[in-house]
């Protein structure tokens, strides 16, 4: 028998089967470990996410600040200042964008933290007065209607007043202590924030090189047709995320400015508390407006409570003002700015916010909508493609015709 017959010969078919078997066994092992050792798995995942949190925050910062960088690069430095060097143009845009954003956040925190503590302290001082007013009202009712027993309501108000006072006292104490005394936590937060800023800077500076690197990897390990599909999916997902965050930031900025102007105008007519709280309330309303549907409630409820410090009438007027502004945003401003950036119906948006909030709190509520939008957008593309292949033309609604036409144009451009 010759040496060539004894020599091992590779077989690509069996090699591929072996790789699939190994990957399948690894996936099954991970699932089994996650199910039967959930506490250990969740602890490991928590530690991993905590370690990688600066990178995730950096990616989010890059998504949020990239529109400002693009606008400064194209408008201020290229169009207005006529800087033709692309590298210098980009570096100046990134530098000034980060200085502007970090400066605004720093000034905001310097103003907001003392204002929040002051507002909570004033609210704590007002609680006994409000409780006494309600008790006097109930006592008058009990005199007019002696057959009705108001003791349960009186006990409830007394217990609620004491509970709120103790809760607010602990909150103010913990807030002050956390800001002043917890040096380790502050240092860790500062370190993570600096790392996140550095990560976001590199993501924005090298975004073309990174996109090219990812594209090279995809086309290197997959066939050209499949690689092109994967790359189109990646680009569409990034586009949905960018469109959502860009539109939502502009929308929230407009809502915050509109709230500030309206509060200053109302305060000019003599309503107490509006001028003093205009900036704080506007920032709260603008930031929470980033979360669809639930954002107005998250920002409106604490804002109304803050105006209760001055008068119940002011709080009531502010509540009406926030409802009017949010209705204007939901029906006029939001659709004009956001357009079809998410393509989700209200039911799916509520579902995305609920699941995201359960999984990751406020950050999950913010990221849940674009994540679900990506999934539904890719599913719509797949369904449209299958229907086109089968030559099935189902009746569609009028407002869906534009979306379908846009998707067909995008697919034709890709081809």
């Amino acid at each position: 028998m010759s040496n060539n017959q004894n020599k091992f010969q590779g077989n690509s078919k069996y090699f591929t089967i072996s790789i699939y078997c190994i990957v399948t066994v690894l996936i099954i092992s991970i699932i089994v470990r996650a199910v039967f050792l959930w506490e250990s798995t969740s602890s490991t995942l928590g530690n991993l996410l905590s370690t990688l949190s600066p990178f995730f925050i950096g990616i989010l910062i890059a998504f949020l600040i990239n529109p400002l960088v693009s606008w400064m690069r194209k408008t201020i430095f290229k169009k207005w200042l006529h800087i033709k060097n692309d590298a210098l143009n980009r570096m100046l845009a990134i530098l000034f964008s980060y200085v502007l954003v970090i400066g605004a956040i720093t000034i905001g925190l310097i103003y907001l933290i003392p204002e929040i503590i002051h507002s909570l302290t004033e609210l704590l001082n007002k609680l006994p007065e409000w409780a006494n007013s309600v008790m006097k009202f109930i006592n008058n009712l009990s005199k007019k209607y002696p057959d009705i027993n108001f003791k349960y309501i009186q006990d409830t108000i007394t217990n609620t007043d004491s509970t709120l006072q103790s809760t607010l006292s602990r909150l103010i104490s913990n807030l002050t202590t956390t800001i002043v005394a917890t040096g380790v936590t502050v240092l860790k937060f500062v370190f993570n924030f600096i790392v996140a800023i550095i990560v976001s800077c590199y993501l924005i500076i090298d975004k073309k090189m990174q996109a090219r690197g990812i594209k090279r990897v995809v086309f290197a390990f997959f066939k050209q047709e499949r690689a092109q599909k994967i790359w189109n999916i990646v680009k569409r997902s990034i586009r949905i995320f960018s469109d959502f965050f860009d539109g939502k930031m502009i929308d929230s900025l407009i809502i915050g400015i509109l709230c500030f102007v309206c509060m200053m105008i109302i305060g000019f007519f003599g309503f107490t508390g509006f001028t003093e709280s205009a900036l704080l309330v506007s920032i709260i309303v603008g930031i929470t407006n980033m979360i669809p549907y639930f954002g107005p409630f998250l920002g409106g409820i604490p804002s109304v409570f803050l105006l209760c410090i001055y008068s119940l009438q002011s709080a009531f007027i502010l509540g009406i003002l926030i409802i009017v502004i949010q209705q204007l945003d939901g029906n006029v401003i939001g659709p004009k700015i956001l357009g079809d950036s998410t393509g989700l119906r209200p039911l799916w948006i509520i579902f995305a916010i609920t699941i995201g909030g359960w999984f990751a709190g406020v950050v999950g509520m913010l990221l849940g909508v674009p994540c679900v939008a990506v999934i539904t957008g890719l599913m719509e593309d797949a369904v449209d493609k299958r229907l086109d292949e089968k030559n099935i033309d189902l009746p569609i609604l009028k407002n869906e015709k534009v979306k379908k036409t846009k998707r067909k144009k995008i697919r034709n451009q890709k081809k």
Side-chain angles (χ1 to χ4, degrees):
M1 187 177 291
S2 63
N3 292 330
N4 291 331
Q5 291 177 339
N6 293 329
K7 186 177 179 180
F8 175 78
Q9 295 181 353
N11 190 310
S12 60
K13 178 180 178 182
Y14 291 111
F15 178 76
T16 304
I17 294 173
S18 301
I19 294 297
Y20 277 119
C21 290
I22 293 172
V23 172
T24 303
V25 171
L26 287 175
I27 293 174
I28 293 174
S29 302
I30 292 172
I31 294 173
V32 170
R33 188 185 189 283
V35 172
F36 292 98
L37 298 173
W38 174 246
E39 292 184 359
S40 174
T41 304
S42 61
S43 176
T44 303
L45 288 175
N47 293 331
L48 180 62
L49 290 175
S50 177
T51 304
L52 297 177
S53 61
F55 295 92
F56 295 138
I57 297 173
I59 294 172
L60 181 60
I61 292 174
F63 266 104
L64 294 175
I65 206 170
N66 185 61
L68 179 61
V69 174
S70 299
W71 179 79
M72 279 196 168
R73 181 174 61 85
K74 294 176 181 178
T75 304
I76 295 180
F77 294 103
K78 190 172 184 179
K79 185 178 180 180
W80 294 352
L81 300 180
H82 304 288
I83 298 177
K84 297 181 179 180
N85 190 312
D86 289 335
L88 179 61
N89 195 332
R90 185 171 62 253
M91 292 303 297
L92 287 174
I94 293 172
L95 177 63
F96 277 90
S97 297
Y98 275 91
V99 169
L100 181 63
V101 171
I102 294 174
I105 292 174
T106 304
I107 294 172
L109 289 177
I110 292 173
Y111 171 80
L112 285 179
I113 291 174
E115 184 67 23
I116 291 172
I117 295 174
H118 172 73
S119 299
L120 291 175
T121 305
E122 291 293 325
L123 183 62
L124 180 62
N125 296 329
K126 285 280 186 179
L127 283 177
E129 180 182 341
W130 295 341
N132 291 332
S133 300
V134 176
M135 291 294 288
K136 288 179 181 179
F137 176 74
I138 293 175
N139 290 331
N140 292 331
L141 286 179
S142 63
K143 291 178 181 178
K144 292 181 180 180
Y145 305 98
D147 296 334
I148 301 177
N149 186 9
F150 290 95
K151 187 176 185 307
Y152 175 76
I153 300 177
Q154 292 172 338
D155 294 339
T156 303
I157 293 172
T158 303
N159 294 331
T160 303
D161 178 44
S162 60
T163 302
L164 283 174
Q165 288 191 57
S166 60
T167 302
L168 285 175
S169 298
R170 287 197 303 270
L171 178 62
I172 295 170
S173 175
N174 292 337
L175 183 63
T176 307
T177 303
T178 302
I179 295 170
V180 177
T182 54
V184 176
T185 305
V186 172
L187 288 176
K188 184 178 179 181
F189 171 79
V190 171
F191 174 77
N192 289 339
F193 183 74
I194 292 174
V195 173
I197 291 293
I198 295 172
V199 170
S200 65
C201 284
Y202 279 112
L203 285 173
I204 295 176
I205 293 171
D206 297 333
K207 61 181 180 181
K208 291 184 178 180
M209 294 296 296
Q210 290 162 3
R212 182 176 178 273
I214 295 172
K215 188 174 183 179
R216 281 166 53 85
V217 171
V218 171
F219 277 83
F221 288 94
F222 296 95
K223 293 182 179 179
Q224 185 172 359
E225 183 178 357
R226 181 171 294 181
Q228 188 62 49
K229 291 180 179 179
I230 294 173
W231 184 243
N232 291 338
I233 290 173
V234 171
K235 289 197 298 183
R236 177 161 168 75
S237 302
I238 295 175
R239 189 183 302 112
I240 293 175
F241 264 86
S242 299
D243 291 345
F244 173 79
F245 282 116
D246 295 355
K248 258 304 180 185
M249 282 192 297
I250 296 173
D251 177 52
S252 299
L253 180 62
I254 293 173
I255 292 301
I257 294 173
L258 183 61
C259 181
F260 179 79
V261 172
C262 291
M263 290 188 68
M264 293 298 291
I265 292 173
I266 295 173
F268 178 76
F269 286 100
F271 291 93
T272 58
F274 279 88
T275 304
E276 296 83 352
S277 305
L279 183 58
L280 177 59
V281 171
S282 300
I283 292 174
I284 294 173
V285 170
I287 291 175
T288 54
N289 191 71
M290 288 288 294
I291 302 173
Y293 286 94
F294 291 99
F297 296 102
L298 293 176
I301 293 174
S303 300
V304 170
F305 272 106
L306 286 177
L307 264 292
C308 287
I309 298 171
Y310 300 94
S311 69
L312 296 178
Q313 182 186 19
S314 297
F316 180 73
I317 295 174
L318 178 64
I320 295 176
L321 175 64
I322 291 176
I323 292 173
V324 171
I325 290 176
Q326 293 301 333
Q327 289 298 315
L328 181 65
D329 177 42
N331 295 290
V332 180
I333 301 175
K336 291 291 183 181
I337 296 175
L338 294 173
D340 297 328
S341 60
T342 60
L344 294 178
R345 303 302 300 168
L347 180 62
W348 283 108
I349 292 177
I350 295 173
F351 172 79
I353 292 172
T354 304
I355 298 299
W358 169 77
F359 185 75
V362 177
V363 177
M365 295 174 73
L366 177 63
L367 298 178
V369 175
C371 287
V372 174
V374 168
I375 296 171
T376 55
L378 297 178
M379 289 179 63
E380 284 181 358
D381 290 344
V383 170
D384 288 341
K385 182 180 178 182
R386 294 297 297 272
L387 291 175
D388 291 340
E389 291 173 353
K390 295 182 178 181
N391 292 322
I392 298 175
D393 189 13
L394 295 176
I396 57 177
L397 299 175
K398 291 182 179 180
N399 58 350
E400 292 293 325
K401 290 182 180 179
V402 178
K403 295 180 183 179
K404 190 172 182 180
T405 304
K406 288 181 179 179
R407 288 199 296 268
K408 283 186 177 180
K409 287 182 179 179
I410 293 172
R411 286 203 300 270
N412 292 332
Q413 290 175 357
K414 291 175 182 177
K415 291 178 182 179

